[in-house]
Amino acid sequence: QVQLLEAGGGAVQPGGSLRLSCAASPFTYSVYCMAWFRQVPGREREGVAAIFRTSSNSFYTDSVKGRFTISQDNAKNTIYLQMNSLKSEDTAMYYCAALTYPRSGSWSDPAFFTHWGQGTQVTVSS
């Protein structure tokens, strides 16, 4: 069973930056794809970015392109989300997600993933 541990959330002013991390354990567990989702109360969970372990191909939702960067450190079984030029609309609970085997589907669909972290809050406010 894969466990995902997120870190790095917090409060920041508009225009600021934050870096989220998500470590998958146990280390020996192979992950096929990992992603970041976000959710605000009353709205559906939204795919923010995803990265595929072997190819390192990454994908982003349009609203974060050019501002957010997803990366991975396979030696640490960890992914990161560097968030720059943060806006108030980026405020949400951010969740890490993992898929441990290849399957068909869309990275932006929460149902694509099999494991979830507990979430870390990101608040962008002046």
Side-chain angles (χ1 to χ4, degrees):
Q1 184 76 358
V2 175
Q3 292 188 329
L4 304 175
L5 181 62
E6 302 118 328
V12 65
Q13 293 185 341
S17 298
L18 283 174
R19 188 192 194 206
L20 307 182
S21 65
C22 174
S25 64
F27 180 79
T28 52
Y29 220 109
S30 181
V31 175
Y32 176 68
C33 177
M34 293 182 73
W36 290 99
F37 283 75
R38 64 187 179 186
Q39 190 171 24
V40 297
R43 298 182 64 178
E44 293 185 353
R45 193 165 291 192
E46 174 192 29
V48 176
I51 189 164
F52 287 79
R53 182 185 181 99
T54 301
S55 66
S56 294
N57 287 339
S58 58
F59 301 89
Y60 299 90
T61 191
D62 286 346
S63 63
V64 307
K65 286 179 180 177
R67 300 189 298 122
F68 291 10
T69 302
I70 190 170
S71 61
Q72 63 184 352
D73 183 339
N74 290 340
K76 296 181 180 180
N77 242 15
T78 299
I79 64 167
Y80 304 93
L81 186 68
Q82 178 66 42
M83 305 186 293
N84 298 328
S85 302
L86 282 161
K87 305 176 181 180
S88 58
E89 51 262 44
D90 295 318
T91 295
M93 185 71 78
Y94 283 70
Y95 296 91
C96 178
L99 176 65
T100 55
Y101 57 90
R103 64 184 296 184
S104 60
S106 170
W107 72 266
S108 61
D109 181 358
F112 184 66
F113 294 90
T114 53
H115 297 82
W116 292 86
Q118 294 299 307
T120 184
Q121 178 68 36
V122 171
T123 301
V124 184
S125 174
S126 56

